Amino acid sequence: MTAAALARVLGPRLTITVVESSEIGIIGVGEATIPAIAQFNKMLRIDEDDFLRRTQGTFKLGIEFTDWYRRGHTYMHAFGPIGRDLAYVPFHHYWLRDQAQGTAGSLWDYSFNWLAAKQARFSRVERIADTPLAGLTWAFHFDASLYAAYLAGFAQDMGVRRIDGLIAGVQLDPESGDVRALKLADGRELAADFFVDCTGFRGLLIEQALQTGYENWSHWLPCDRAIAVPSARSGPLLPYTRATALEAGWQWRIPLQHRTGNGHVYCSAHTSDERARELLLANLDSQPLAEPRPLRFTTGRRRLLWNRNVVCIGLASGFLEPLESTSIHLIQVTIQRLILLFPHHGEVEERRREFNRAAIAEYDYIRDFIILHYYANERQGEPFWDACRNMPLPDSLRHKIELFRETAGIFCATEDLFQLNSWLQVLWGQGVRPRATHPFVESIAPHDRAGYLRDLRGLISQAVQQLPSQADFIARHCAAHSTSAA
Ligand SMILES: Cc1cc2nc3c(=O)[nH]c(=O)nc-3n(C[C@H](O)[C@H](O)[C@H](O)COP(=O)(O)OP(=O)(O)OC[C@H]3O[C@@H](n4cnc5c(N)ncnc54)[C@H](O)[C@@H]3O)c2cc1C
């Protein structure tokens, strides 16, 4: 992704070399994304249908959370708007008022994405016809290895040189302390002005050579292992990811055209590897297609994402578990920031400062959002979940929860990837309840408010009936050649 984007935007001004090792390979998990990925592909001028065909991709309208708040309870973090704001006051205040009186539907009845997702329908609808209401907002599920291969070809066509070699050493400039060159195992030496460390968890340049330091967030996000396995396609092709809470972690289910991706993220202090594997396999809805693959990680981020003449991107920069599909997004926005602040001339200190400020804020807000899913649970009597419910929170998250509890207020900084509708769905879905709503709501007569809610719901529900199934849409527009999506 980094080489492709740099080549596309800054290509003629840069000589870009990618070094990767087929001996080591890539981590190869990471199949669910959020809607902004479409902008990245657009920037590369990649055709969406072609991309889906080549990566066995499907559409994603949200993430369903099962058993998180308590066993038997399900909600969705659907992308896109919920309802429609009136005046300065967000929609949910009106809804909360009527919901308390029993005259409104569920929060998700006002989400076009949710209704389409639950009926397994999809089409590229930008607006609901003849209304001011937005259409669907989508991301993708895709095979990460196929995407990497697709972009590798793309980058090489744009002039990027690729070396398959093992980096055996990193040379620092004795005076400045900057990275000067990479030494390959075959004796080659590669000098450069600037390095992007995409070496995964190893952080070969940013950590092993520059010793940047890592902020460990295990006390807030204690899951530290995962076990992943693909399984055969089964059932209708659902346009959403499913995240099911288990006894000491959770399991993902990601439907692709040719198979389903599954994995169990868990906390090794609360369960064993054997038990994690057993639960994963027991919860598959079809035959496993490979031996389950174990992975280990430490949640957190580098203290700096740009240190000296090295920027780290991807797993080299840190790790947040895939609960909200944020890793590939973090790669994308870090690339975007690097392009905007690129050190093409002169002093770079201010650019480096701004880069680190924004990147750190962004990581920290996502961390808070993910913690919320764990913290606000009512799975009483289960040691892992009891510990999560009783953990001390980061101040920034405590503040967000309290604001919502006081008067249903949700306020998000620009670096906060997840904005009002995302926080609302997870706060509400995880059982956090406000004590009051905004007073402006009272200035609309109850029957007008009820009519407004009823109309919104009716328009959304009618619009969903016009959509084809996702399977039909894919078969018509972007089916991978070897697959039938039906
Ligand atoms: C369990 C799990 C589930 C995930 N699910 C999602 C998800 O649903 N959505 C999402 O957005 N993200 C997800 N991610 C994250 C996603 O997998 C990564 O962000 C993405 O794959 C990018 O990885 P990377 O390129 O940073 O690292 P890697 O894939 O590990 O690549 C590292 C590269 O560095 C090279 N390298 C390393 N050392 C050397 C060396 N010494 N010499 C030469 N080359 C070297 C390797 O060959 C490789 O090419 C998940 C991660 C995990 C662990």
Side-chain angles (χ1 to χ4, degrees):
M1 286 176 75
T2 306
L6 288 178
R8 163 63 80 202
V9 181
L10 297 167
R13 303 178 61 111
L14 301 177
T15 307
I16 305 171
T17 304
V18 171
V19 186
E20 59 184 334
S21 160
S22 48
E23 236 173 271
I24 295 178
I26 60 168
I27 194 157
V29 276
E31 304 185 319
T33 56
I34 58 173
I37 184 84
Q39 288 158 27
F40 185 80
N41 285 345
K42 222 174 249 170
M43 186 270 288
L44 294 180
R45 294 183 219 143
I46 287 176
D47 175 74
E48 191 169 292
D49 285 342
D50 186 47
F51 151 77
L52 287 161
R53 239 175 258 128
R54 287 165 178 253
T55 61
Q56 297 280 356
T58 62
F59 295 93
K60 172 178 171 185
L61 298 175
I63 307 171
E64 184 175 78
F65 293 94
T66 299
D67 296 342
W68 280 80
Y69 170 46
R70 59 165 73 113
R71 280 178 189 264
H73 177 270
T74 290
Y75 71 95
M76 189 177 281
H77 170 193
F79 303 137
I82 296 212
R84 189 170 148 81
D85 300 349
L86 275 182
Y88 283 123
V89 180
F91 168 79
H92 70 277
H93 288 272
Y94 304 98
W95 170 76
L96 278 166
R97 189 75 186 81
D98 282 30
Q99 194 268 344
Q101 289 170 344
T103 50
S106 105
L107 178 62
W108 288 274
D109 285 334
Y110 306 91
S111 159
F112 189 24
N113 264 52
W114 176 79
L115 212 54
K118 291 310 288 178
Q119 297 184 19
R121 292 176 190 260
F122 180 80
S123 187
R124 293 190 183 104
V125 183
E126 307 248 319
R127 300 217 73 76
I128 296 183
D130 306 321
T131 77
L133 300 177
L136 291 176
T137 305
W138 64 91
F140 312 105
H141 304 117
F142 56 74
D143 183 319
S145 308
L146 294 176
Y147 187 52
Y150 183 34
L151 293 186
F154 176 95
Q156 282 169 279
D157 289 347
M158 304 270 311
V160 171
R161 181 164 70 125
R162 176 180 178 271
I163 295 178
D164 186 346
L166 191 70
I167 301 164
V170 179
Q171 283 185 355
L172 300 185
D173 184 298
E175 275 175 27
S176 66
D178 282 2
V179 172
R180 203 188 62 74
L182 306 179
K183 278 205 82 125
L184 303 193
D186 63 10
R188 274 181 289 179
E189 192 177 296
L190 298 169
D193 302 314
F194 193 76
F195 294 83
V196 184
D197 184 346
C198 299
T199 60
F201 287 135
R202 288 172 184 79
L204 216 58
L205 282 71
I206 196 77
E207 198 58 57
Q208 291 187 29
L210 296 181
Q211 298 178 356
T212 302
Y214 194 74
E215 258 195 39
N216 183 329
W217 290 336
S218 307
H219 50 296
W220 286 315
L221 293 167
C223 288
D224 56 353
R225 293 188 192 180
I227 180 161
V229 70
S231 64
R233 263 281 321 275
S234 73
L237 191 59
L238 300 178
Y240 57 91
T241 305
R242 186 176 287 151
T244 306
L246 299 177
E247 55 197 34
W250 62 279
Q251 181 157 336
W252 77 75
R253 181 187 184 280
I254 299 177
L256 304 181
Q257 290 189 36
H258 61 324
R259 61 169 170 78
T260 303
N262 310 274
H264 180 185
V265 173
Y266 60 99
C267 173
S268 64
H270 283 268
T271 193
S272 66
D273 295 340
E274 295 69 38
R275 177 71 181 145
R277 182 190 154 99
E278 181 188 313
L279 275 180
L280 170 70
L281 294 174
N283 287 314
L284 295 183
D285 52 17
S286 57
Q287 278 296 103
L289 297 176
E291 208 21 53
R293 194 155 69 91
L295 297 147
R296 292 183 179 204
F297 49 81
T298 306
T299 299
R301 64 155 166 75
R302 298 274 166 236
R303 289 194 196 286
L304 298 172
L305 277 77
W306 180 348
N307 189 7
R308 299 191 174 277
N309 62 337
V310 175
V311 157
C312 56
I313 294 185
L315 299 175
S317 72
F319 185 72
L320 282 162
E321 58 183 85
L323 189 57
E324 286 284 354
S325 317
T326 43
S327 271
I328 293 174
H329 179 77
L330 280 169
I331 294 173
Q332 169 185 343
V333 285
T334 311
I335 294 168
Q336 227 169 312
R337 189 169 297 122
L338 175 59
I339 287 171
L340 286 175
L341 295 166
F342 201 79
H344 62 295
H345 89 119
E347 272 301 305
V348 298
E349 188 44 37
E350 294 308 325
R351 274 172 278 174
R352 195 157 42 202
R353 259 182 72 183
E354 176 56 20
F355 184 95
N356 282 316
R357 182 201 65 75
I360 286 170
E362 191 166 64
Y363 247 100
D364 294 2
Y365 282 120
I366 296 175
R367 174 204 65 197
D368 284 1
F369 190 57
I370 294 177
I371 296 172
L372 173 63
H373 301 65
Y374 283 98
Y375 164 76
N377 81 79
E378 283 303 326
R379 292 181 61 126
Q380 306 277 354
E382 298 184 72
F384 171 76
W385 294 98
D386 288 345
C388 290
R389 197 170 48 255
N390 290 306
M391 71 174 133
L393 294 178
D395 256 4
S396 43
L397 175 57
R398 195 199 47 74
H399 170 70
K400 264 223 173 80
I401 294 174
E402 282 313 312
L403 269 175
F404 186 71
R405 279 198 178 123
E406 277 174 17
T407 53
I410 301 175
F411 298 88
C412 302
T414 40
E415 280 87 13
D416 199 340
L417 165 61
F418 295 105
Q419 294 282 313
L420 188 145
N421 279 319
S422 297
W423 281 93
L424 170 65
Q425 292 175 77
V426 177
L427 283 161
W428 188 262
Q430 292 289 149
V432 182
R433 296 289 177 263
R435 291 185 280 271
T437 52
H438 196 279
F440 179 75
V441 167
E442 304 298 337
S443 61
I444 299 184
H447 73 275
D448 289 343
R449 233 176 21 231
Y452 182 60
L453 290 172
R454 201 174 42 245
D455 288 351
L456 281 172
R457 202 173 160 183
L459 289 170
I460 289 171
S461 132
Q462 274 169 28
V464 167
Q465 300 314 313
Q466 315 298 317
L467 301 176
S469 73
Q470 164 171 238
D472 283 349
F473 186 87
I474 288 180
R476 199 166 326 131
H477 297 278
C478 46
H481 299 304
S482 57
T483 328
S484 155

